[in-house]
Amino acid sequence: MYGYTQAKALVYSKYGEPKDVLSLHKHSISAPHGTQVNLRLLTAPMNPADVNQIQGVYPSKPPFQTLLGTAEPSAVGGNEGAFEVIATGANVKTLTKGDWVIMRRTGLGTWRTHAQLDESQLIRIENKDGLTPLQVGTVSVNPVTAYRMIRDFCEWDWMRAGEEWMIQNGANSGVGRAAIQLCREWGIKSLNVVRERKTHEETEALKKELKELGATAVVTEGEMMTSGFKDTVAELTRQGREPIRLALNCVGGKNATAMAKTLAPDSHMVTYGAMSKQPVALPSGLLIFKNLSFDGFWVSRWGDKNPVLKENTINDVLQMTRSGRFKDIPVDKVEWKWNLEGPQLAEAVQGTLGGYRSGKGVFTFTGGDE
Amino acid sequence: MYGYTQAKALVYSKYGEPKDVLSLHKHSISAPHGTQVNLRLLTAPMNPADVNQIQGVYPSKPPFQTLLGTAEPSAVGGNEGAFEVIATGANVKTLTKGDWVIMRRTGLGTWRTHAQLDESQLIRIENKDGLTPLQVGTVSVNPVTAYRMIRDFCEWDWMRAGEEWMIQNGANSGVGRAAIQLCREWGIKSLNVVRERKTHEETEALKKELKELGATAVVTEGEMMTSGFKDTVAELTRQGREPIRLALNCVGGKNATAMAKTLAPDSHMVTYGAMSKQPVALPSGLLIFKNLSFDGFWVSRWGDKNPVLKENTINDVLQMTRSGRFKDIPVDKVEWKWNLEGPQLAEAVQGTLGGYRSGKGVFTFTGGDE
């Protein structure tokens, strides 16, 4: 049918486990009118928050709609991804065929082979030639989270390059790896906490890998929990002359408390995740006498409130990426071939929350426009 | 001996329970030279932090010295109080005999019948005629704590008078009563949490008393912990249209968590005490998705960093006091007669941490200058 593009989207119409509620919906997309833009998926990652959203336990819930012609009102899964422009409406001014774009806001649904959105919903990637779809498709959540937490929660401009520290747990995560590299670029030393791997060799390999990314020091959670860790911190920070000013926490529980204890007076801990499912327990003395501050960061909310700054942040990270100063995260690629069935795709999503995946799950789409 | 004033001070030379380590030291004070000022005690309160300081568990520790001629290096107990100027050195410019003063910093020792300090260590009380020694002697810790926590931790200037709330636990404390009255003055509604008293009648009497001070609502800790409290909060705040923007916490543990859950998004909890001795437990969702911020406040540190603002804050509270808009806290007076023995005074200090005292313990001194 002339002017129509065949599309498939991974949708859900009720909350639950991805493998139970996700299904593949086939539909067609008309030629774009006015400011509409037709897109083809390049790469879309599976972030833990995407799964929480499908489970219904995430506070940001996309509306269930019938715009794609689903039998039940549905939402498309996924919150970030890189798309290629395949056609533009007559009034589209800033995009042309072949451009790469990402979605301006979360919640629009990225797990789909094709999409039709309005020009205003898209951010054009400048100078895409030095970039890969993976780099563009994973820039807007994890790197932006790391970037803003480091820049916005301590008196960043006052930090003395090479003489002040950041500590973080979950240092092996997408956010953690981004934080390591940003700290390296910005002259902040980083003390990185990772969970023990299955074998000592794997743990040592991970430490080495993170140090190669720019980590100043890497310790395991178990090492942090020993009483001797105080001395390790004293040695690393030259008896506190190089203060730890910022903690990034995605674990919670005792891990977070142990990190808080390493902080210098007047420092900040920012929580952006809760992998342990335990609350952050704050001995009152840390609040009152050390004057520590505890905040949270949620990139979706932040981005919606600060659209311009978000775009600038993304451009800054992509510039670092082009110049080789920001490395790709390890990924587990799931090739979304046109004929792949819903259950196979849903199974890939289901695996996201395991935590020990060898890399972030990402859909890549290379199929043509059927 | 001409020019000498006999003095007694409640001193300690090692940390421990007040009844075990406090002793009464008699000494003499010379006529003041240069910028020295001789003082006579009017009123000095016993705050819980004073006791923690003597126990050695408070991070601010006055130096042990032999300036008063003690056999062992010692510190004088107490951190706030009102004194009367009884003599001034030739170079003293801002104080004259009969003036009332308070100490500019904490840690100088106020549990003493007389003292000799430098003019620079003292704040003169303007227009003392409308004030009592009790009002002056208790203004610099509790009311200043309440005042700064309300003003400095939320976007105070943006709060809509009569349409926004503060919640606090320990509402019956010196800080709590100050907060109730300041909120009333500033058009902030206050939701106040108190511990159940021994009988229902006593609890009701306390609720009535706090309401008369200006509390918008008073609930018991038990009432806050029931599942129905959500509905109470919804009703009080008109389904959130009158948001709770600030929580003041001196209890910790589950009490603090319950208060945090009542807060509107982007609100703040400030911790200034830990009566339950339990850490503040923060469900990560409150940090990440509700964007709550958790800070601490320590008035000693704040005052040392902000001496001018501290003086202005004190003057502001005393102005409210003179005009009858800031009521005296309930007190348990301990008259410090010249001949009272050390153990009697130490016993009074020991009773400070009980928590159910009918009022704040205060030393008053009316004896002459022996």
Side-chain angles (χ1 to χ4, degrees):
Chain A
M1 197 160 33
Y2 180 75
Y4 279 80
T5 303
Q6 293 304 303
K8 288 181 177 176
L10 212 44
V11 301
Y12 58 106
S13 57
K14 61 171 192 276
Y15 300 120
E17 288 304 311
K19 65 179 171 48
D20 302 328
V21 300
L22 280 178
S23 67
L24 196 60
H25 173 67
K26 189 173 169 185
H27 62 113
S28 62
I29 290 173
S30 64
H33 288 280
T35 54
Q36 288 175 337
V37 180
N38 284 9
L39 305 171
R40 183 176 72 87
L41 174 65
L42 296 168
T43 294
M46 293 164 250
N47 287 311
D50 301 332
V51 176
N52 294 148
Q53 197 171 46
I54 294 164
Q55 291 168 328
V57 299
Y58 200 62
S60 155
K61 295 176 168 62
F64 287 174
Q65 299 173 315
T66 53
L67 296 174
L68 303 185
T70 49
E72 300 287 326
S74 305
V76 179
N79 287 281
E80 67 168 345
F83 288 81
E84 183 181 349
V85 173
I86 55 172
T88 56
N91 298 330
V92 169
K93 297 214 163 65
T94 58
L95 298 171
T96 53
K97 193 171 178 224
D99 278 350
W100 287 4
V101 296
I102 59 175
M103 293 182 190
R104 197 171 283 284
R105 300 176 75 108
T106 55
L108 294 173
T110 58
W111 297 344
R112 41 174 152 185
T113 62
H114 300 80
Q116 184 174 77
L117 291 172
D118 190 82
E119 180 182 15
S120 64
Q121 294 175 299
L122 302 167
I123 295 176
R124 179 176 180 271
I125 302 302
E126 309 289 331
N127 196 7
K128 73 177 167 68
D129 288 347
L131 299 169
T132 67
L134 173 67
Q135 290 164 347
V136 172
T138 57
V139 74
S140 64
V141 173
N142 290 339
V144 171
T145 298
Y147 192 115
R148 298 322 320 179
M149 290 195 298
I150 300 170
R151 291 291 274 254
D152 299 342
F153 286 89
C154 50
E155 284 163 347
W156 189 83
D157 296 333
W158 294 14
M159 282 177 86
R160 293 167 289 137
E163 298 179 15
E164 307 211 351
W165 289 77
M166 177 276 289
I167 185 171
Q168 67 169 341
N169 54 29
N172 183 38
S173 68
V175 172
R177 285 165 181 262
I180 287 171
Q181 297 179 83
L182 292 168
C183 282
R184 184 204 65 218
E185 278 298 298
W186 295 336
I188 300 166
K189 294 186 172 181
S190 67
L191 175 46
N192 298 278
V193 185
V194 296
R195 285 186 294 181
E196 281 79 5
R197 304 289 114 172
K198 280 178 197 131
T199 68
H200 179 69
E201 287 67 32
E202 286 175 78
T203 301
E204 291 305 307
L206 178 59
K207 285 185 176 183
K208 184 160 173 287
E209 188 186 344
L210 297 185
K211 280 185 185 165
E212 282 166 4
L213 269 187
T216 318
V218 187
V219 299
T220 65
E221 190 176 53
E223 287 163 356
M224 179 170 67
M225 294 304 186
T226 61
S227 59
F229 187 61
K230 234 181 359 212
D231 303 324
T232 307
V233 170
E235 192 176 326
L236 286 170
T237 63
R238 302 176 56 231
Q239 274 62 43
R241 284 194 293 276
E242 295 182 357
I244 307 182
R245 290 274 184 229
L246 178 68
L248 307 183
N249 165 45
C250 66
V251 176
K254 287 177 180 163
N255 186 311
T257 309
M259 284 210 305
K261 286 180 180 163
T262 71
L263 288 170
D266 306 318
S267 298
H268 291 253
M269 174 178 281
V270 189
T271 292
Y272 67 97
M275 278 171 15
S276 73
K277 295 185 180 154
Q278 298 299 312
V280 177
L282 306 177
S284 302
L286 293 182
L287 285 161
I288 304 172
F289 303 124
K290 269 183 95 175
N291 196 32
L292 301 187
S293 294
F294 294 82
D295 290 280
F297 185 79
W298 186 19
V299 70
S300 302
R301 184 190 171 105
W302 178 87
D304 292 348
K305 279 193 170 181
N306 302 277
V308 176
L309 197 50
K310 177 178 170 180
E311 199 168 334
N312 294 344
T313 304
I314 286 169
N315 284 332
D316 209 4
V317 175
L318 290 180
Q319 187 47 44
M320 286 174 56
T321 307
R322 273 186 211 96
S323 64
R325 291 173 293 130
F326 198 88
K327 298 274 181 281
D328 292 5
I329 47 169
V331 294
D332 252 3
K333 272 193 197 174
V334 178
E335 249 187 280
W336 186 332
K337 296 195 180 115
W338 181 256
N339 288 321
L340 219 56
E341 299 289 341
Q344 294 169 276
L345 295 165
E347 205 55 59
V349 174
Q350 189 67 42
T352 302
L353 287 189
Y356 283 107
R357 219 172 192 167
S358 68
K360 183 178 288 291
V362 292
F363 289 121
T364 60
F365 182 64
T366 47
D369 318 332
E370 259 68 359
Chain B
M1 198 160 32
Y2 179 74
Y4 279 79
T5 303
Q6 294 303 302
K8 288 181 177 175
L10 213 43
V11 300
Y12 58 106
S13 57
K14 61 170 190 277
Y15 300 119
E17 287 304 310
K19 65 181 171 47
D20 301 328
V21 300
L22 280 178
S23 66
L24 196 60
H25 172 67
K26 189 174 170 185
H27 63 111
S28 62
I29 289 173
S30 64
H33 289 280
T35 54
Q36 289 176 336
V37 180
N38 283 9
L39 305 170
R40 184 176 71 87
L41 175 65
L42 297 168
T43 294
M46 293 163 250
N47 287 311
D50 302 331
V51 175
N52 294 148
Q53 198 170 47
I54 294 164
Q55 292 169 329
V57 299
Y58 199 63
S60 156
K61 295 176 167 63
F64 287 174
Q65 299 173 314
T66 53
L67 296 174
L68 302 185
T70 48
E72 301 287 326
S74 304
V76 179
N79 287 281
E80 66 167 345
F83 288 82
E84 183 181 348
V85 174
I86 55 172
T88 56
N91 298 331
V92 169
K93 296 215 162 68
T94 58
L95 298 170
T96 54
K97 191 169 181 234
D99 279 352
W100 288 4
V101 296
I102 60 176
M103 292 180 191
R104 198 170 282 282
R105 299 177 75 109
T106 55
L108 294 172
T110 58
W111 297 345
R112 41 175 154 184
T113 63
H114 301 80
Q116 185 174 75
L117 291 171
D118 189 82
E119 180 183 16
S120 64
Q121 296 175 299
L122 302 167
I123 295 176
R124 179 175 180 272
I125 302 302
E126 310 288 330
N127 196 7
K128 74 176 165 73
D129 289 346
L131 300 168
T132 66
L134 173 68
Q135 290 163 347
V136 172
T138 56
V139 74
S140 63
V141 173
N142 290 340
V144 171
T145 298
Y147 192 114
R148 298 319 325 178
M149 290 195 299
I150 300 170
R151 292 291 275 254
D152 299 342
F153 286 89
C154 51
E155 284 164 346
W156 190 85
D157 296 333
W158 293 14
M159 284 177 85
R160 293 166 290 138
E163 297 178 16
E164 307 212 349
W165 289 77
M166 177 275 290
I167 185 171
Q168 66 170 341
N169 54 30
N172 182 39
S173 68
V175 173
R177 285 166 181 261
I180 287 171
Q181 297 179 82
L182 292 169
C183 281
R184 183 204 66 218
E185 278 298 298
W186 295 337
I188 300 165
K189 293 185 172 181
S190 68
L191 174 47
N192 298 279
V193 185
V194 296
R195 285 186 293 183
E196 282 78 5
R197 305 289 115 173
K198 281 178 196 128
T199 67
H200 180 69
E201 287 68 30
E202 286 175 79
T203 301
E204 290 305 306
L206 177 60
K207 285 185 176 183
K208 185 161 173 288
E209 189 187 343
L210 296 185
K211 281 186 184 165
E212 282 166 4
L213 270 185
T216 318
V218 187
V219 299
T220 64
E221 190 176 53
E223 285 164 355
M224 178 169 66
M225 295 304 186
T226 60
S227 60
F229 187 61
K230 228 175 12 200
D231 303 324
T232 306
V233 169
E235 193 176 327
L236 286 170
T237 62
R238 301 176 56 231
Q239 273 64 44
R241 284 195 292 276
E242 296 181 357
I244 306 182
R245 289 275 184 227
L246 178 68
L248 307 183
N249 165 44
C250 66
V251 175
K254 287 178 180 162
N255 185 311
T257 310
M259 284 210 305
K261 287 180 180 163
T262 70
L263 288 170
D266 306 317
S267 299
H268 292 253
M269 174 177 281
V270 189
T271 292
Y272 66 98
M275 279 173 10
S276 74
K277 294 182 181 157
Q278 298 300 311
V280 177
L282 306 178
S284 302
L286 293 181
L287 286 160
I288 305 171
F289 303 123
K290 270 183 95 176
N291 195 31
L292 301 186
S293 295
F294 294 81
D295 290 280
F297 184 79
W298 186 18
V299 70
S300 303
R301 184 188 169 107
W302 178 87
D304 292 349
K305 280 193 168 181
N306 302 276
V308 176
L309 197 49
K310 177 178 171 181
E311 200 169 335
N312 292 346
T313 304
I314 286 168
N315 284 333
D316 208 4
V317 174
L318 290 179
Q319 186 48 42
M320 286 175 56
T321 307
R322 273 186 211 96
S323 64
R325 290 173 295 130
F326 198 87
K327 297 274 182 282
D328 292 4
I329 47 169
V331 294
D332 253 4
K333 270 193 198 177
V334 178
E335 251 188 278
W336 185 332
K337 294 194 181 116
W338 181 256
N339 289 321
L340 219 55
E341 300 289 343
Q344 295 168 278
L345 295 165
E347 204 54 59
V349 174
Q350 189 67 42
T352 302
L353 286 189
Y356 282 107
R357 220 172 193 168
S358 68
K360 183 177 289 290
V362 292
F363 289 122
T364 61
F365 182 63
T366 47
D369 317 331
E370 259 71 359

